[in-house]
């Protein structure tokens, strides 16, 4: 099955997808998976194959979704007047598939008429958004608008207030503003997609008249792939680490043979400049929070020499790990994953050498290894189109991501000084804060819940409104934890939430997750001690913990046992544990109470 | 390109798109009678033919097509 993944994207194989979509889908449906979430598609034009391709992409990542499609062009009626079954379907995600086909553009007009038209369009959107938000508390994804094929005023169509382009620009800014101000609203950028593939190609009458598709049918795989990337991003499934080869990847030539002065990098000749542009691109990717690492067959000294080259945009400190040796690349990649405590499926590996790519691909099929071609000038375009680093989920926190991991490397250095692990923990001078949910931290709480896959007992997800709801309810408890030490502040890294059942004097943990950045510091014990305090303060007797095994959360399968819970119930999907808090003795850790500043 | 190989390419293409690998398909087969051939599959088949045989198909061309052979004839004429 992994083989299929590679053939479908890295980069996208549109020809096979269009031709063999049905057999690819039926193969993927053979996977035995539980439904992860429900997606409703509200269409202003046909959506059937948008859904089909989206389902294919989700299944390649082991995500089974249930789908609902509105009747043709009834997106407004379903959302606002509750026609159809949108609201009883209770989706986790609503995708609103609008396009220029849904905007009536009369041959206006006076400025007044134009203003009325603009107002009508955005008012309709507002009422769709507010109705869905009010009744479903779910994530909304909506297309912006593509540029028109025809420009009413030619080149001045954007600057003339009565122009079609001008109208579209206005509506798009309105949609983009809404996304900036609403954490659960995401834009599917067909304005970019249509430009990338060319408007001449995008606007296609045959697709409209035969299939009622708003754009060229052959672009559907790209469309659904972009949509899929947003969903991956929302659920924390995008790539986190970009691992790069050196010779003929970050610079031209082989540094060990050619020498530092003769590698191709920097101004001068076209090839050297191309490698510089590639490095600039990597630097841009890094600035969105992606971690960089090196995996190269080289002497370490040569590798470091190259990174100190006067025209190297990327320096030694930009990388969270540098492996330059003669071991198989797959072995080095496994080491890097261990150091960073991240899953191999969050890695992308770039190498100009097809044999190395194949070695990694065959031994570590979870890693994405794009076919970047033979020409340095194509690398950026190809990697970019793979959408590995769609950051629809981007938050302020991502700015400091590289620093957080570099602090972890310093901690690992510190650890090597101690033979006793507890002594090492003591030396870290850890301080923690545990508090109940509050509004200032709700965005971070929400993103931690939705993105944590390893230390996550149930892998249940909450919407932002559900998170905000918890602090106002008497029958719910939600707490978060922050951890800092002498190397730096890790920020908010753990969340636990659940329900109080007064009748049975019990508290059930619905969600418990912790960032992999702080594994093995005993933070989970410190955090749980605090929960027990809270539970006791409410005069409750029992804590119920649920463990739902997933592909990624094996690391926590034993946690309830280690806390003294007893296995009470087990079925095919989940294990339920119980703990009598009167018998619980607080676990000692090296963490002290901190002050929230 | 011989007529026979065009025919085989077309039939293979139709089988792929409709995901129909068992039914007998030959030039006399009524297109719409092939299981899996609906209007959406038709759109897909048209684009696949355009890409495979490097030709253009207009709406007016397709309008009167009934059998697989009609599609084949169009391909023969335009390649």
């Amino acid at each position: 099955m992994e083989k299929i993944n590679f053939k479908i994207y890295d980069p996208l194989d549109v020809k096979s997808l269009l031709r063999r979509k049905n057999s690819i889908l039926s193969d993927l449906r053979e996977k035995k998976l539980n439904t992860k979430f429900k997606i409703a598609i509200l269409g202003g034009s046909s959506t059937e194959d948008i859904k089909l391709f989206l389902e294919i992409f989700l299944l390649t990542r082991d995500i089974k979704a249930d789908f609902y499609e509105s009747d043709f062009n009834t997106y407004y009626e379903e959302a606002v007047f509750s026609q159809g079954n949108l609201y009883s379907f209770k989706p986790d995600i609503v995708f609103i598939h609008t396009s220029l086909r849904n905007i009536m553009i009369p041959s206006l007009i006076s400025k007044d008429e134009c203003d009325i038209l603009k107002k009508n369009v955005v008012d309709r959107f507002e009422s769709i958004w507010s109705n869905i938000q009010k009744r479903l508390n779910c994530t909304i994804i909506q297309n912006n608008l593509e540029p028109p094929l025809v420009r009413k005023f030619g080149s001045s169509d954007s600057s003339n207030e009565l122009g079609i382009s001008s109208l579209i620009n206005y509506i798009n800014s309105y949609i983009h503003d809404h996304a900036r101000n609403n954490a659960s609203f995401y834009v599917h950028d067909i304005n970019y997609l249509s430009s990338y593939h060319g408007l001449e190609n995008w606007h296609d009458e045959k697709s409209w008249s035969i299939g009622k598709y708003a754009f060229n049918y052959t672009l559907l795989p790209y469309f659904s792939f972009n949509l899929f990337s947003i969903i991956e991003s929302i659920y924390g499934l995008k790539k986190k680490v970009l691992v790069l080869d050196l010779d003929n990847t970050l610079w031209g030539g082989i540094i060990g043979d050619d020498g530092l002065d003769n590698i191709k990098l920097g101004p001068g000749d076209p090839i050297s400049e191309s490698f510089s542009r590639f490095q600039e691109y990597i630097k841009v990717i890094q600035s969105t929070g992606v971690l960089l690492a090196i995996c190269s067959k080289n002497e370490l000294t040569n590798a470091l020499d190259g990174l100190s080259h006067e025209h190297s945009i990327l320096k030694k400190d930009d990388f969270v790990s540098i492996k330059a040796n003669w071991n198989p690349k797959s072995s080095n990649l496994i080491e890097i994953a261990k150091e960073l405590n991240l899953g191999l499926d969050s890695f992308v590996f770039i190498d100009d050498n097809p044999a190395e790519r194949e070695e990694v691909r065959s031994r570590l099929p979870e890693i994405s290894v794009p076919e970047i071609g033979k020409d340095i000038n194509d690398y950026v375009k190809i990697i970019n189109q793979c959408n590995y680093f769609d950051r629809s989920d981007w938050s302020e926190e991502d700015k400091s991501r590289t620093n957080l991991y570099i602090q972890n490397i310093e901690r690992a250095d510190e650890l090597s000084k101690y033979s006793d692990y507890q002594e090492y923990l003591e030396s870290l001078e850890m301080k923690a804060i545990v508090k109940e949910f509050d509004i200032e931290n709700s965005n971070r709480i929400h993103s931690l819940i939705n993105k944590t896959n390893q230390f996550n007992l149930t892998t249940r997800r909450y919407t932002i409104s559900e998170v905000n709801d918890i602090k106002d309810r008497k029958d719910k408890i939600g707490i978060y934890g922050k951890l800092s030490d002498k190397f730096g502040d890790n920020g908010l890294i753990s969340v636990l939430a659940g329900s109080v059942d007064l009748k049975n004097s019990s508290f059930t943990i619905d969600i418990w997750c912790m960032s992999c950045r702080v594994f093995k510091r005993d933070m989970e014990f410190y955090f749980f001690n605090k929960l027990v305090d809270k539970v006791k303060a409410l005069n409750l007797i029992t804590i119920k913990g649920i463990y739902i095994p997933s592909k990624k959360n094996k690391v926590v399968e034993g946690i309830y046992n280690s806390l003294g819970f007893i296995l009470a119930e087990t079925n095919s999907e989940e294990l339920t544990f119980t703990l009598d808090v009167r018998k619980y003795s607080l676990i000692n850790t090296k963490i002290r109470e901190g002050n929230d500043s | 390109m011989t007529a026979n190989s065009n025919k085989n390419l077309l039939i293979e293409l139709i089988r792929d798109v409709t995901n129909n690998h068992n039914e007998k398909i030959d030039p006399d087969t009524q297109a719409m009678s092939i299981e899996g051939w609906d209007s959406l599959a038709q759109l897909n088949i048209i684009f696949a033919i355009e890409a495979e045989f490097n030709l253009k198909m207009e709406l007016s061309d397709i309008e009167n097509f009934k059998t697989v052979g009609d599609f084949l004839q169009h391909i023969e004429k335009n390649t």
Side-chain angles (χ1 to χ4, degrees):
Chain A
M1 209 49 82
E2 299 294 347
K3 206 78 184 162
I4 287 184
N5 290 1
F6 158 64
K7 283 186 179 157
I8 293 178
Y9 35 76
D10 306 316
L12 212 55
D13 180 357
V14 173
K15 200 176 168 204
S16 303
L17 278 164
L18 284 170
R19 227 171 120 153
R20 280 181 274 281
K21 58 183 166 55
N22 291 311
S23 62
I24 292 171
L25 181 61
S26 41
D27 282 353
L28 286 165
R29 279 183 175 165
E30 301 277 309
K31 292 189 182 187
K32 294 271 168 289
L33 300 166
N34 296 321
T35 302
K36 274 263 176 59
F37 43 73
K38 300 201 267 184
I39 303 175
I41 303 179
L42 302 184
S45 48
S46 290
T47 58
E48 190 176 331
D49 279 5
I50 291 176
K51 183 200 86 170
L52 185 147
F53 287 115
L54 185 58
E55 185 178 353
I56 286 178
F57 296 134
L58 289 167
L59 285 171
T60 63
R61 300 239 36 196
D62 289 338
I63 298 168
K64 184 177 170 231
D66 286 345
F67 287 93
Y68 169 80
E69 288 174 275
S70 73
D71 284 339
F72 180 77
N73 199 11
T74 59
Y75 63 102
Y76 180 72
E77 290 76 6
E78 293 226 3
V80 177
F81 304 122
S82 318
Q83 285 179 15
N85 296 314
L86 170 67
Y87 291 110
S88 55
F89 178 68
K90 294 200 173 57
D92 302 289
I93 297 174
V94 175
F95 169 53
I96 305 170
H97 177 49
T98 49
S99 71
L100 214 45
R101 298 267 178 197
N102 303 113
I103 311 281
M104 297 295 285
I105 302 182
S107 48
L108 298 174
I109 33 184
S110 69
K111 169 136 187 357
D112 286 349
E113 282 177 296
C114 191
D115 286 343
I116 291 169
L117 176 63
K118 282 181 188 169
K119 193 172 175 317
N120 280 343
V121 172
V122 300
D123 281 354
R124 271 168 79 92
F125 285 160
E126 280 287 355
S127 76
I128 291 172
W129 299 333
S130 64
N131 272 284
I132 295 175
Q133 209 63 267
K134 207 164 54 201
R135 301 185 52 184
L136 289 172
N137 272 338
C138 65
T139 298
I140 300 177
I141 305 173
Q142 179 172 334
N143 296 337
N144 56 12
L145 295 176
E146 70 276 40
L149 187 64
V150 175
R151 296 175 304 174
K152 190 168 157 190
F153 295 102
S155 281
S156 65
D157 205 47
S158 282
S159 52
N160 188 324
E161 278 182 320
L162 304 181
I164 300 170
S165 308
S166 164
L167 173 72
I168 290 167
N169 291 341
Y170 171 84
I171 296 168
N172 280 347
S173 328
Y174 195 92
I175 295 173
H176 299 154
D177 282 346
H178 187 72
R180 249 192 305 281
N181 298 320
N182 292 275
S184 51
F185 183 89
Y186 298 85
V187 176
H188 181 232
D189 191 3
I190 67 172
N191 192 266
Y192 169 82
L193 197 64
S194 58
S195 307
Y196 184 87
H197 293 285
L199 295 178
E200 180 199 17
N201 191 19
W202 176 273
H203 293 282
D204 184 67
E205 287 310 315
K206 207 151 46 186
S207 302
W208 177 250
S209 39
I210 301 178
K212 287 289 171 283
Y213 278 94
F215 56 92
N216 190 319
Y217 182 83
T218 59
L219 298 175
L220 266 168
Y222 298 103
F223 181 98
S224 294
F225 187 61
N226 270 279
L227 193 55
F228 162 66
S229 295
I230 299 175
I231 295 172
E232 277 189 299
S233 181
I234 296 171
Y235 287 94
L237 297 169
K238 291 314 290 184
K239 306 297 172 186
K240 299 184 172 99
V241 190
L242 177 56
V243 185
L244 299 142
D245 170 48
L246 292 175
D247 293 329
N248 287 318
T249 300
L250 285 192
W251 54 67
I254 296 169
I255 194 162
D257 294 342
D258 304 338
L260 177 62
D261 296 336
N262 296 314
I263 57 171
K264 289 184 177 296
L265 188 62
D269 72 287
I271 293 187
S272 300
E273 288 177 10
S274 299
F275 280 100
S276 287
R277 275 196 301 280
F278 183 59
Q279 287 207 8
E280 277 168 24
Y281 167 71
I282 303 293
K283 193 76 189 161
V284 169
I285 301 248
Q286 183 200 29
S287 71
T288 64
V290 173
L291 305 174
L292 304 180
I294 300 276
C295 178
S296 163
K297 284 193 171 153
N298 243 314
E299 294 299 331
L300 182 61
T301 49
N302 287 336
L304 296 176
D305 270 358
L307 294 173
S308 64
H309 187 279
E310 62 169 327
H311 295 301
S312 188
I313 294 161
L314 298 166
K315 302 291 182 195
K316 178 174 172 272
D317 288 348
D318 286 315
F319 299 93
V320 293
S321 180
I322 297 178
K323 300 281 173 225
N325 53 43
W326 303 96
N327 300 336
K329 298 220 167 182
S330 55
S331 315
N332 280 325
L333 286 159
I334 291 171
E335 293 238 330
I336 298 172
K338 271 190 203 147
E339 281 171 24
L340 300 173
N341 200 13
L342 289 169
L344 287 167
D345 62 352
S346 59
F347 278 62
V348 176
F349 176 59
I350 307 288
D351 198 312
D352 66 294
N353 183 339
E356 298 292 359
R357 294 201 294 264
E358 204 41 52
E359 191 267 334
V360 171
R361 217 176 264 142
S362 63
R363 295 190 55 193
L364 306 172
E366 314 90 304
I367 295 190
S368 295
V369 187
E371 276 305 295
I372 48 173
K374 291 191 182 116
D375 185 352
I376 174 70
N377 287 310
D378 292 335
Y379 289 7
V380 172
K381 194 166 79 182
I382 291 171
I383 298 168
N384 182 54
Q385 281 303 299
C386 290
N387 284 359
Y388 296 127
F389 307 108
D390 183 301
R391 302 309 305 270
S392 297
D393 61 323
W394 193 84
S395 69
E396 284 292 316
E397 215 243 356
D398 291 313
K399 277 190 193 166
S400 52
R401 192 185 289 267
T402 294
N403 278 337
L404 291 170
Y405 280 91
I406 285 178
Q407 286 165 16
N408 260 356
I409 292 166
E410 292 170 352
R411 288 184 189 102
D413 276 351
E414 179 88 2
L415 173 60
S416 64
K417 294 185 204 156
Y418 291 89
S419 55
D420 182 90
Y421 195 75
Q422 289 302 317
E423 273 177 43
Y424 156 71
L425 287 180
E426 183 78 51
S427 79
L428 287 178
E429 297 165 26
M430 293 183 285
K431 290 195 170 118
I433 293 154
V434 176
K435 284 183 145 183
E436 293 201 21
F437 284 12
D438 50 38
I439 195 81
E440 298 83 65
N441 289 294
S442 58
N443 279 340
R444 172 63 187 154
I445 292 169
H446 175 239
S447 95
L448 192 68
I449 291 173
N450 286 300
K451 289 185 190 173
T452 309
N453 295 304
Q454 298 184 70
F455 193 116
N456 192 333
L457 274 305
T458 57
T459 324
R460 289 184 180 142
R461 310 298 195 187
Y462 283 2
T463 64
I464 186 85
S465 331
E466 282 171 309
V467 169
N468 285 328
D469 192 39
I470 287 175
K471 64 179 181 326
D472 301 327
R473 288 184 44 177
K474 287 228 159 49
D475 60 337
K476 300 265 182 196
I477 300 177
I479 56 173
Y480 63 79
K482 295 180 175 182
L483 183 69
S484 63
D485 62 27
K486 68 175 177 186
F487 291 107
D489 189 354
N490 287 290
L492 196 158
I493 41 70
S494 193
V495 169
L496 184 153
S499 312
V500 174
D501 177 355
L502 284 176
K503 211 172 76 193
N504 293 309
S505 295
S506 72
F507 173 74
T508 304
I509 301 172
D510 187 39
I511 276 187
W512 184 9
C513 54
M514 189 172 85
S515 162
C516 55
R517 292 203 299 259
V518 296
F519 280 11
K520 293 189 188 149
R521 313 261 194 93
D522 292 348
M523 179 60 189
E524 59 275 33
F525 300 125
Y526 182 88
F527 195 59
F528 190 77
N529 286 344
K530 295 287 178 191
L531 175 75
V532 171
D533 288 347
K534 284 201 190 302
V535 167
K536 279 183 171 166
L538 291 168
N539 292 320
L540 304 175
I541 295 168
T542 316
I543 298 180
K544 272 193 202 165
I546 296 157
Y547 172 61
I548 304 178
S550 77
K551 255 190 169 170
K552 292 178 147 198
N553 71 357
K554 210 167 162 47
V555 65
V556 288
E557 68 180 350
I559 185 145
Y560 284 127
N561 279 325
S562 66
L563 288 165
F565 280 75
I566 293 163
L567 181 62
E569 219 184 299
T570 159
N571 65 36
S572 63
E573 275 175 34
E574 58 185 57
L575 291 81
T576 307
F577 297 85
T578 56
L579 175 79
D580 184 334
V581 292
R582 293 167 302 187
K583 292 180 190 155
Y584 179 77
S585 47
L586 296 182
I587 298 177
N588 273 327
T589 69
K590 303 292 182 193
I591 301 171
R592 292 181 194 87
E593 188 140 346
N595 313 310
D596 206 357
S597 47
Chain B
M1 183 109 11
T2 68
N4 214 7
S5 76
N6 275 346
K7 186 184 96 181
N8 292 341
L9 279 173
L10 176 65
I11 290 174
E12 192 195 334
L13 181 154
I14 293 168
R15 289 197 185 286
D16 275 345
V17 174
T18 56
N19 202 19
N20 183 334
H21 297 275
N22 305 317
E23 202 175 321
K24 183 172 162 284
I25 299 175
D26 59 33
D28 295 331
T29 311
Q30 293 286 321
M32 283 298 192
S33 75
I34 296 171
E35 201 188 328
W37 188 313
D38 53 17
S39 69
L40 199 53
Q42 169 132 328
L43 184 62
N44 207 333
I45 287 165
I46 290 165
F47 281 116
I49 290 174
E50 289 190 343
E52 185 76 40
F53 299 97
N54 195 21
L55 52 82
K56 270 277 179 213
M57 289 180 88
E58 303 304 334
L59 287 177
S60 51
D61 296 330
I62 307 151
E63 215 174 16
N64 301 315
F65 287 2
K66 299 248 170 347
T67 62
V68 170
D70 293 337
F71 284 83
L72 186 59
Q73 219 169 33
H74 182 84
I75 293 164
E76 299 288 340
K77 257 193 286 179
N78 291 283
T79 49

